[in-house]
Amino acid sequence: MTCCGAPKIVNLPKSASIYAVTRENDLLASSQKLGGKQFQTDFSVPQMHCIACIRSLESAVGNLPFVERVRANLSLKKISVVWNEGRENVLAIDQAITAAGFDHSAYDLNGDDDEQMNRSNKLLIALAVAGFAAVNIMLLSISVWSGADAETTRLFHLISGMIAVPAVMFSGQPFFRSALTALKAGRLNMDVPISLAVLLALGMSVYESLTGGKEAYFDAAVTLLFFLLIGRYLDNLMRDKARSAVVQLSRLATKGAMIVSADTTLQYLELDNIKPGMIVRVMAGDHIPVDGEIINGSSDVDRSLVTGESLPHPVEKGIDVEAGILNLTGTIDILVKRDARHSFLGEVQRMMEAAEQGRGYYTRIADRMARIYAPAVHLLALLAFAGWMIATGGDWHLSVYVAISVLIITCPCALGLAVPVVHVVAARRLFRQGIIIRDGSGFERLEEVDHIIFDKTGTLTSGMPQLSLPAKFKGFIESNDATIARTLASHSSHPFSKALTGFLNVPILDDIFDIKEIPGAGIEARISGQLARLGQSQWVRQIAKPESSNASQLSGLSFALENREVVTFEHSEELRGGSIPTIAELKWQGVEIEILSGDSHKSVKTIADRLSIDEIRYGQKPADKVSRINELQKQGIKVLMAGDGLNDSPALATAHVSIAPANASDIARYAADFIFTRESLTAVPFAMHIAKRSGSLVRQNFSLAILYNAIAIPFAMAGFVTPLIAAIAMSASSIVVVANSMRLNLDNKAQVKLSSRLQLDRGFTTQEKSDELSTISANSERHFA
């Protein structure tokens, strides 16, 4: 099979049918049901070394008719496959990966962490053996170079060969096995030219020693392998460092938990077997295994994973808790709401892993270059060999020597790492600040933003408004209508609904039917046989009695039963933490800002004035927000949408790039490219800064990779580079690209800029903040004039 050809499906003999059924069951057990008839299965592929491997895997699996989507992750050495239902399909995927020439297994991040350590240890042992052999052969070579006679030279060559052959056979296994597997599958990878070069140098040396030749290259062959292993080992370590955020997350996941059965006895279950509806008991000092609601007990928990705040947070019965947070003081029983795969921790892990898998502009460039890279390497080596054979009148020793150098020096590692390592490091940097990216291509799109649209409620504001009732409605609080209103509110995640649930201290009814939440309007249902609505005043008044519909001109959250009087709540809003320095910083950068909100003019204008935002649009329905974004993008303006509600979801999906808080509705979170888990809105300018730095580093990496090849290949073909120097240069190019990417961890400019604005959040009155913000805005206008 070629890289681009259709994958060969292996037909298992009858004797292997038991194994096939067992393998199929294991893969199905590790698969995740996505909804409908789609599943996702993740495979660990330890032999994935470069972008050519990625392309081979994605081509082999992607050509299967039932596969919807396939993405390979270089740093995690993992391939994720989304496929349509059918028990036999998962086994066909498994066979396609095998046919493509890759050993693999079902992916387990904790298990793969152990495997990665074992691979690193094996590389270290191989490196030690190669180093020991190289030193001893070098000592023998020094004697030869010092002018030993012919017999001594031949003896030392033979002794060197006795050391070199077993050393190369043992230490070269990481390269030889990978190359052999690739060739069996009819494809090429970076280990093929490396293996060819090492074996050519070794074979040529054995031939010279046995035929009494004057020169042997055992020292070059073993030292070459030694430096190749150094490069592979360091590359392995640096990739581990780049992906450590994902690994650290995996360590927060427990292996299992104690389940409280119906007869109150405790039973231990593995994490994958814990299902919604079960009751989990979590002791003090343990991490919470799954998302759920506390039904018994109270404790203090460390929610720094979610909020970034390390201070203990008290929890009690009725409070929701997330997987991965640490229970500090007391024993609590939790009613499981989501299994481990769909928990908060599982979602964060998937989004972190997705950071490397986006197929943005730069990644597509690397993909196209990788298609021609492997054949080009062998063609250049062949041309170098032929050219030197002609130029030297048939000196095959020198010609092979030059060809070996060309094979080694043209390694595609630097090119393959140019994009994904930057994205992994950037995702880790964002994660430390409570920001999660769902798609690696989001970095490229965020870098281009020149216009930001903010939703108001829940985005610019804290999302938890303070409600009150006008005097005329004071009797409502203790009426049966209040019970119906709170019941409706309990079925919505909108900030006003949550605020109302806390405001009304009345029971929640069970007999609720035909619940329907309408984006941009509100929620309605039939409760005790009556149609009830909670939401925007204009929409709610459509079912109220006619005289009530026109009697009140109040705007805001309203409630009414069919043909009954409208009750309208008054509310006040607090700005989200960090909103003032965020707007100041964005204005300083010259970014255009506007607010699109479904709220009333008065409500939107109040917030806009406090933040000195001039462009506002109020009373916006979801379609209006989408229309505005499309209008801007048709003008070539790159729009970032920041929102949190169900009604913001279409706009989040339409915008060039989008961001949402972690407490946004589920649909809004899935539509957004970035999620920020902390309360402060400073996540927005910080993410933009990291995106710009990421883009700069990716371009630098491409430049380094291209410059390396532009200089190294001509020098190697001209005979100025020995195989040893080629090995050092090839390893160094990969290490330089990874090290350049790691510089992103040293960039603190964004935090310095934001900290200089944070004074606006402390120690000032509202008027003083407004005055200071106006000064900053004026300065920025002069700065960008």
Side-chain angles (χ1 to χ4, degrees):
M1 190 201 78
T2 63
C3 289
C4 299
K8 177 178 66 178
I9 304 301
V10 180
N11 293 318
L12 294 173
K14 291 183 179 179
S15 60
S17 59
I18 295 177
Y19 166 81
V21 171
T22 304
R23 177 67 173 166
E24 183 179 283
N25 289 335
D26 289 344
L27 292 172
L28 286 171
S30 66
S31 299
Q32 174 188 355
K33 187 171 178 59
L34 300 180
K37 295 184 177 181
Q38 288 192 342
F39 291 81
Q40 177 175 321
T41 307
D42 298 335
F43 297 90
S44 175
V45 188
Q47 294 174 329
M48 193 193 312
H49 296 303
C50 62
I51 203 163
C53 297
I54 290 177
R55 186 176 174 277
S56 297
L57 276 167
E58 292 185 347
S59 297
V61 178
N63 285 337
L64 296 173
F66 47 81
V67 170
E68 292 291 328
R69 185 169 67 253
V70 55
R71 283 289 178 265
N73 186 309
L74 185 61
S75 289
L76 293 176
K77 297 186 182 297
K78 162 190 168 182
I79 181 170
S80 300
V81 186
V82 176
W83 49 280
N84 291 321
E85 189 174 30
R87 285 184 61 89
E88 69 284 356
N89 290 346
V90 70
L91 193 58
I93 295 169
D94 183 61
Q95 293 173 9
I97 298 174
T98 301
F102 293 93
D103 294 334
H104 61 283
S105 59
Y107 182 77
D108 173 54
L109 192 54
N110 293 300
D112 286 341
D113 191 29
D114 295 335
E115 288 181 20
Q116 182 69 15
M117 186 175 295
N118 290 334
R119 284 195 293 270
S120 294
N121 290 337
K122 288 179 180 178
L123 281 173
L124 193 59
I125 293 171
L127 178 62
V129 171
F132 175 81
V135 168
N136 284 277
I137 294 172
M138 193 65 69
L139 290 174
L140 294 170
S141 298
I142 289 173
S143 299
V144 173
W145 298 339
S146 299
D149 58 47
E151 289 302 318
T152 303
T153 297
R154 184 175 183 185
L155 176 62
F156 280 9
H157 281 171
L158 290 174
I159 295 174
S160 296
M162 293 173 65
I163 298 172
V165 171
V168 169
M169 291 301 103
F170 176 80
S171 296
Q173 287 184 56
F175 304 104
F176 301 155
R177 287 178 176 174
S178 173
L180 184 62
T181 304
L183 291 173
K184 282 182 179 179
R187 65 180 180 85
L188 298 173
N189 66 5
M190 61 169 281
D191 290 334
V192 173
I194 287 175
S195 300
L196 183 60
V198 172
L199 292 175
L200 277 174
L202 183 67
M204 192 164 64
S205 301
V206 170
Y207 174 81
E208 288 291 313
S209 299
L210 294 177
T211 58
K214 294 183 178 180
E215 294 186 14
Y217 306 98
F218 291 117
D219 53 347
V222 178
T223 309
L224 165 65
L225 185 60
F226 177 65
F227 279 103
L228 288 170
L229 284 166
I230 288 176
R232 180 64 60 88
Y233 180 70
L234 291 177
D235 179 54
N236 212 49
L237 287 182
M238 297 191 83
R239 289 192 198 190
D240 284 349
K241 186 174 179 62
R243 75 187 187 111
S244 61
V246 180
V247 175
Q248 288 168 11
L249 277 175
S250 72
R251 290 170 181 162
L252 296 178
T254 60
K255 300 291 186 182
M258 300 303 294
I259 303 299
V260 182
S261 59
D263 59 358
T264 70
T265 59
L266 297 178
Q267 176 188 4
Y268 180 83
L269 278 185
E270 292 186 354
L271 189 61
D272 290 340
N273 295 326
I274 298 176
K275 305 299 180 185
M278 293 181 174
I279 298 175
V280 175
R281 178 159 295 174
V282 183
M283 307 296 184
D286 290 341
H287 286 280
I288 292 175
V290 288
D291 293 358
E293 178 185 343
I294 297 175
I295 60 172
N296 187 33
S298 61
S299 181
D300 293 317
V301 297
D302 177 359
R303 299 188 73 239
S304 56
L305 174 67
V306 181
T307 65
E309 175 57 62
S310 58
L311 293 176
H313 181 78
V315 292
E316 57 185 11
K317 182 178 179 181
I319 299 294
D320 287 339
V321 289
E322 300 88 355
I325 68 176
L326 180 63
N327 182 25
L328 296 173
T329 56
T331 299
I332 51 177
D333 290 344
I334 299 171
L335 177 64
V336 179
K337 288 189 173 181
R338 284 185 282 279
D339 61 27
R341 287 182 179 272
H342 299 91
S343 68
F344 170 80
L345 185 61
E347 183 181 352
V348 171
Q349 282 180 313
R350 286 192 296 275
M351 289 191 289
M352 287 292 291
E353 292 171 16
E356 188 181 358
Q357 297 174 201
R359 287 298 184 259
Y361 172 72
Y362 295 124
T363 309
R364 291 194 298 271
I365 290 176
D367 283 345
R368 288 195 291 268
M369 295 176 73
R371 292 177 188 178
I372 63 171
Y373 205 97
V377 168
H378 294 85
L379 179 61
L380 287 172
L382 181 61
L383 289 174
F385 175 78
W388 277 91
M389 284 289 287
I390 296 171
T392 59
D395 186 347
W396 68 272
H397 293 85
L398 181 59
S399 301
V400 170
Y401 202 67
V402 173
I404 291 171
S405 299
V406 173
L407 284 171
I408 295 169
I409 210 163
T410 51
C411 172
C413 279
L415 181 65
L417 294 171
V419 180
V421 174
V422 173
H423 284 178
V424 169
V425 175
R428 181 187 178 198
R429 182 72 191 277
L430 290 181
F431 178 71
R432 292 208 304 262
Q433 296 298 319
I435 307 166
I436 305 162
I437 179 172
R438 301 186 69 245
D439 182 356
S441 65
F443 284 119
E444 295 173 22
R445 288 179 279 121
L446 186 59
E447 181 188 6
E448 300 169 340
V449 165
D450 46 26
H451 193 108
I452 301 180
I453 293 176
F454 287 100
D455 172 51
K456 180 182 70 69
T457 305
T459 307
L460 288 174
T461 65
S462 63
M464 288 303 292
Q466 303 298 315
L467 296 182
S468 61
L469 273 173
K472 62 179 292 187
F473 297 127
K474 289 298 182 185
F476 173 81
I477 293 180
E478 298 177 358
S479 67
N480 184 59
D481 291 357
T483 302
I484 296 175
R486 188 168 189 257
T487 301
L488 263 183
S490 68
H491 287 82
S492 173
S493 61
H494 192 281
F496 278 110
S497 296
K498 292 180 179 179
L500 184 62
T501 304
F503 177 67
L504 297 174
N505 188 23
V506 291
I508 294 175
L509 303 174
D510 294 326
D511 55 338
I512 179 169
F513 304 97
D514 301 329
I515 304 171
K516 185 188 301 181
E517 187 163 10
I518 301 172
I523 185 169
E524 71 173 17
R526 288 196 174 273
I527 302 176
S528 301
Q530 295 178 288
L531 178 63
R533 281 186 176 180
L534 177 71
Q536 283 196 341
S537 294
Q538 186 177 358
W539 179 70
V540 169
R541 286 175 183 142
Q542 293 174 6
I543 68 166
K545 62 182 181 180
E547 57 271 24
S548 171
S549 299
N550 298 317
S552 174
Q553 297 302 316
L554 290 172
S555 62
L557 181 67
S558 296
F559 166 79
L561 293 167
E562 194 169 16
N563 295 320
R564 298 273 295 278
E565 185 179 12
V566 174
V567 176
T568 302
F569 298 86
E570 293 179 338
H571 69 275
S572 59
E573 297 179 280
E574 290 295 323
L575 289 176
R576 178 183 285 272
S579 56
I580 290 177
T582 292
I583 300 303
E585 178 62 28
L586 294 173
K587 286 194 171 188
W588 184 266
Q589 294 178 14
V591 179
E592 294 294 326
I593 301 172
E594 70 175 285
I595 299 176
L596 291 186
S597 175
D599 288 349
S600 66
H601 175 266
K602 178 182 177 182
S603 176
V604 177
K605 188 71 166 60
T606 299
I607 297 299
D609 288 344
R610 292 171 67 184
L611 292 171
S612 294
I613 298 175
D614 299 324
E615 184 71 26
I616 66 170
R617 292 170 185 257
Y618 56 90
Q620 299 284 292
K621 295 180 179 178
D624 299 325
K625 295 183 179 183
V626 170
S627 177
R628 173 59 177 164
I629 291 172
N630 285 331
E631 175 189 340
L632 291 169
Q633 295 188 155
K634 284 178 182 178
Q635 301 172 28
I637 297 172
K638 307 298 185 182
V639 177
L640 165 65
M641 175 68 195
D644 73 310
L646 180 66
N647 60 324
D648 296 317
S649 302
L652 290 167
T654 302
H656 187 62
V657 65
S658 53
I659 188 168
N663 60 354
S665 67
D666 290 343
I667 296 177
R669 288 202 313 274
Y670 289 132
D673 298 296
F674 293 84
I675 309 293
F676 62 96
T677 62
R678 300 181 185 176
E679 287 300 316
S680 178
L681 198 63
T682 53
V684 175
F686 183 81
M688 290 178 65
H689 174 79
I690 293 299
K692 289 176 181 177
R693 288 290 296 127
S694 298
S696 174
L697 288 172
V698 166
R699 290 187 288 273
Q700 290 175 25
N701 285 349
F702 271 123
S703 298
L704 288 170
I706 293 170
L707 181 65
Y708 162 77
N709 284 286
I711 294 174
I713 293 175
F715 268 79
M717 295 185 72
F720 295 125
V721 179
T722 66
L724 180 59
I725 299 300
I728 296 172
M730 182 271 286
S731 300
S733 67
S734 298
I735 293 169
V736 166
V737 164
V738 176
N740 187 56
S741 304
M742 300 297 286
R743 289 196 304 122
L744 191 59
N745 284 323
L746 305 176
D747 184 0
N748 294 314
K749 289 182 179 179
Q751 285 152 319
V752 172
K753 287 180 180 178
L754 286 173
S755 64
S756 68
R757 309 282 192 260
L758 284 175
Q759 59 179 320
L760 297 176
D761 262 2
R762 299 190 298 270
F764 288 93
T765 65
T766 301
Q767 184 59 47
E768 288 171 335
K769 289 179 180 179
S770 180
D771 293 342
E772 182 69 15
L773 190 58
S774 298
T775 302
I776 290 174
S777 299
N779 288 339
S780 74
E781 288 171 6
R782 288 195 295 272
H783 178 75
F784 288 99

